[in-house]
């Protein structure tokens, strides 16, 4: 009996000690980690605006300043919570807005860039997803993201969608996007997420822009 | 395999060749397949594992006389997990890009059988000094397998080495080398060659 209690107490003390150590380190570095994830988001948005490209690399530490200097938040609709950005002092109708939705496994988060003038998608980036690596996880590959570029979203197809993800290699119409072979679940989840994100953006945009 | 207690530098040396955890014991294979398509990720993974091994072996060895036998495995896992979470937090804070690329693999160091194997198999019964050398040896032994594989996979698969272009861009990249199956081929070939060497040495 005595032995058992000693074992139990030992386990509790050791567990408490290591938990305390880990949470201590976490709280010390939390600020830095939060800053990193903020910079990572800003980087994605700047990339969608074309301010960061493969040939125009910007160091991590300059990103917050560039972000503050070049972009501004846009409030679409009266009380919308949609996170949306525009270039500062720019006449073009390029918007970058956040989207999220249920993927095949986990929620998928990301940003869409659209040209509201010509009603075209300009780019898509995913900030967080839990899709199967090598299959659905390929959504974050440049090759897949490039498939959305310049796709028009103004018209609604007969199946009620603005964009349809079709079997890989079979997209022929401008309102079709190649899906990913072996990741049908992810492809249809992306289709749903992108369509609802576009619908939300359009309905808010029609309500008029107020800064 | 047990030829009596192995101490000091011998504990380190045998892990490099004779009882190399990957070649000899076929441990830690999952991560060997997963991260070896980029030299940079492999290096970070190896350093992470070496750190975890040294610290876990040291801690377990220091506590070896007070850990009740009944709960020793739980305590070992707890200690290893604490160090792995520590690495994950530090990577998130100082090397976010690499942390992102490594994704779940850092967390998976804890499931790397080498760490558990060394703490249970050696650190539980030996002095801290020997345990640290044993852990360091196992970590280096692991790196000696992973790094050469990564050095073959990255140039052939992506034409780069440590992120720098080393092979002319008109080279047809072997996409196969980037994905996991090529890890199997490279690792198997590596183990085959090393074992062939080993057995020819033993015969003499």
């Amino acid at each position: 009996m005595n032995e058992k209690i000693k074992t139990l107490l030992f386990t509790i003390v050791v567990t408490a000690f290591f938990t305390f150590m880990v949470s201590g380190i976490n709280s010390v570095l939390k600020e830095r980690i939060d800053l990193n994830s903020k910079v990572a988001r800003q980087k994605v948005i700047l990339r969608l605006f074309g301010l960061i490209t493969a040939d125009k690399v910007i160091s991590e530490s300059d990103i917050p300043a560039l972000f503050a200097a070049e972009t501004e938040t846009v409030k679409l609709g009266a009380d919308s919570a949609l996170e949306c950005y525009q270039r500062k002092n720019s006449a073009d109708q390029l918007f970058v807005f956040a989207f999220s939705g249920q993927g095949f496994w986990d929620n998928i988060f990301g940003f869409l860039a659209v040209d509201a003038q010509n009603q075209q998608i300009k780019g898509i980036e995913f900030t967080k997803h839990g899709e199967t690596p090598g299959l659905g996880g390929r959504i974050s590959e440049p090759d897949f993201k490039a498939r959305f570029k310049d796709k028009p979203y103004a018209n609604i197809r007969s199946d009620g969608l603005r964009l349809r993800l079709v079997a890989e290699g079979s997209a022929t119409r401008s309102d079709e996007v190649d899906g990913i072979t072996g990741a049908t679940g992810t492809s249809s989840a992306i289709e749903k997420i992108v369509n609802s994100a576009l619908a939300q953006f359009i309905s808010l945009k029609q309500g008029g822009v107020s800064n | 395999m047990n030829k009596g207690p192995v101490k000091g530098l011998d504990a380190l040396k045998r892990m490099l060749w004779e009882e190399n955890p990957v070649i000899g014991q076929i441990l830690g294979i999952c991560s060997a397949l997963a991260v070896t398509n980029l030299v940079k990720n492999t290096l970070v993974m190896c350093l992470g594992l070496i750190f975890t091994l040294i610290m876990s072996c040291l801690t377990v060895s220091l506590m070896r006389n007070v850990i009740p036998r009944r709960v020793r495995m739980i305590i070992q896992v707890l200690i290893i997990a604490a160090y792995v979470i520590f690495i994950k937090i530090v990577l998130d804070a100082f090397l976010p890009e690499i942390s992102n690329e490594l994704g779940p693999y850092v967390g998976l160091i804890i499931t790397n059988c080498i760490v558990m194997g060394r703490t249970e198999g050696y650190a539980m019964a030996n002095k801290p000094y020997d345990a640290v050398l044993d852990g360091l040896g196992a970590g280096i032994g692991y790196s000696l397998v992973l790094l050469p594989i990564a050095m073959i996979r990255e140039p052939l698969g992506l034409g780069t080495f440590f992120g720098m272009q080393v092979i002319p861009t008109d080279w047809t990249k072997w996409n196969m080398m980037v994905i996991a199956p090529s890890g199997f081929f490279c690792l198997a070939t590596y183990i085959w060659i090393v074992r062939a060497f080993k057995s020819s040495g033993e015969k003499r």
Side-chain angles (χ1 to χ4, degrees):
Chain A
M1 190 60 200
N2 202 8
E3 189 70 16
K4 276 185 188 163
I5 291 173
K6 247 173 80 184
T7 305
L8 185 68
L9 278 177
F10 180 84
T11 315
I12 291 172
V13 169
V14 171
T15 311
F17 175 76
F18 279 101
T19 313
F20 192 76
M21 294 282 286
V22 167
S23 23
I25 291 159
N26 188 41
S27 61
V28 169
L29 293 175
K30 196 169 185 320
E31 213 165 290
R32 222 193 134 96
I33 294 171
D34 289 346
L35 179 71
N36 283 340
S37 68
K38 203 171 128 195
V39 170
R41 278 174 80 81
Q42 294 180 340
K43 200 170 166 183
V44 164
I45 296 163
L46 290 173
R47 209 184 292 147
L48 283 170
F49 277 123
L51 294 167
I52 298 178
T53 55
D55 330 307
K56 205 161 55 177
V57 185
I58 285 146
S59 82
E60 296 280 309
S61 52
D62 296 337
I63 286 174
L66 181 73
F67 187 80
E70 292 289 344
T71 69
E72 59 185 356
T73 53
V74 182
K75 200 160 161 50
L76 291 174
D79 46 15
S80 133
L82 182 70
E83 189 184 350
C84 183
Y85 301 90
Q86 213 178 355
R87 283 288 297 276
K88 235 176 214 174
N89 312 319
S90 170
D92 56 1
Q93 292 280 300
L94 190 61
F95 292 92
V96 171
F97 60 94
F99 65 82
S100 66
Q102 175 65 43
F104 186 62
W105 295 119
D106 200 357
N107 284 331
I108 296 177
F109 296 87
F111 287 95
L112 261 170
V114 294
D115 178 351
Q117 188 104 54
N118 302 314
Q119 309 242 319
Q120 280 182 340
I121 292 179
K122 283 297 166 194
I124 189 167
E125 290 281 350
F126 300 97
T127 48
K128 189 169 178 277
H129 71 78
E131 302 309 295
T132 322
L135 295 172
R138 285 175 52 209
I139 55 170
S140 46
E141 288 178 4
D143 180 46
F144 179 74
K145 291 185 286 196
R147 294 175 192 174
F148 286 87
K149 196 166 167 25
D150 297 336
K151 292 287 177 187
Y153 62 81
N155 302 320
I156 298 178
R157 294 162 50 101
S158 55
D159 52 18
L161 297 170
R162 291 175 193 276
L163 278 179
R164 185 172 181 81
L165 264 75
V166 294
E168 195 152 13
S170 70
T172 46
R173 300 159 44 135
S174 66
D175 54 10
E176 289 176 341
V177 179
D178 278 337
I180 295 175
T181 304
T184 311
T186 303
S187 299
S188 52
I190 294 286
E191 176 182 276
K192 212 168 143 192
I193 294 167
V194 169
N195 276 291
S196 74
L198 286 171
Q200 189 195 9
F201 174 77
I202 292 162
S203 75
L204 287 170
K205 185 78 176 54
Q206 277 164 354
V209 180
S210 59
N211 278 3
Chain B
M1 273 193 179
N2 284 326
K3 304 160 199 155
V6 188
K7 299 285 178 196
L9 283 174
D10 287 338
L12 191 155
K13 269 189 245 158
R14 69 169 177 167
M15 280 295 146
L16 301 185
W17 179 250
E18 215 178 301
E19 286 181 35
N20 184 297
V22 186
I23 300 166
Q25 308 171 20
I26 317 291
L27 293 177
I29 295 295
C30 341
S31 54
L33 300 175
V35 297
T36 50
N37 53 7
L38 285 174
V39 179
K40 192 173 76 178
N41 290 359
T42 311
L43 190 67
V44 174
M45 185 72 182
C46 290
L47 292 175
L49 188 84
I50 292 175
F51 174 81
T52 312
L53 267 165
I54 293 178
M55 296 310 288
S56 310
C57 285
L58 176 68
T59 316
V60 170
S61 180
L62 283 172
M63 292 168 67
R64 71 187 186 284
N65 293 325
V66 287
I67 299 176
R69 283 206 71 72
R70 204 183 276 258
V71 292
R72 65 181 197 286
M73 293 268 192
I74 302 172
I75 301 289
Q76 285 164 13
V77 173
L78 184 80
I79 292 169
I80 300 166
Y83 287 120
V84 171
I85 298 170
F86 173 78
I87 295 178
K88 179 73 185 155
I89 294 172
V90 170
L91 279 182
D92 272 343
F94 299 102
L95 298 166
E97 301 258 296
I98 289 183
S99 174
N100 223 356
E101 277 167 39
L102 288 175
Y105 297 122
V106 176
L108 286 176
I109 292 178
I110 186 175
T111 66
N112 193 321
C113 333
I114 299 173
V115 192
M116 192 80 193
R118 288 339 290 165
T119 54
E120 168 68 10
Y122 194 87
M124 271 306 279
N126 287 282
K127 293 207 182 77
Y129 171 72
D130 300 319
V132 166
L133 285 176
D134 179 77
L136 176 65
I140 297 173
Y142 173 83
S143 315
L144 283 180
V145 178
L146 259 71
L147 285 172
I149 292 178
M151 286 171 192
I152 291 170
R153 284 181 74 184
E154 189 181 336
L156 290 182
L158 298 164
T160 57
F161 183 82
F162 225 86
M164 288 174 300
Q165 197 73 36
V166 286
I167 291 178
T169 39
D170 55 355
W171 158 267
T172 308
K173 291 167 186 165
W174 299 9
N175 276 337
M176 184 72 187
M177 278 293 167
V178 184
I179 56 177
S182 81
F184 275 106
F185 303 143
C186 293
L187 185 67
T189 315
Y190 190 95
I191 293 177
W192 180 20
I193 294 169
V194 170
R195 287 204 165 172
F197 263 109
K198 261 187 176 174
S199 59
S200 72
E202 274 161 24
K203 270 172 210 155
R204 268 178 236 144

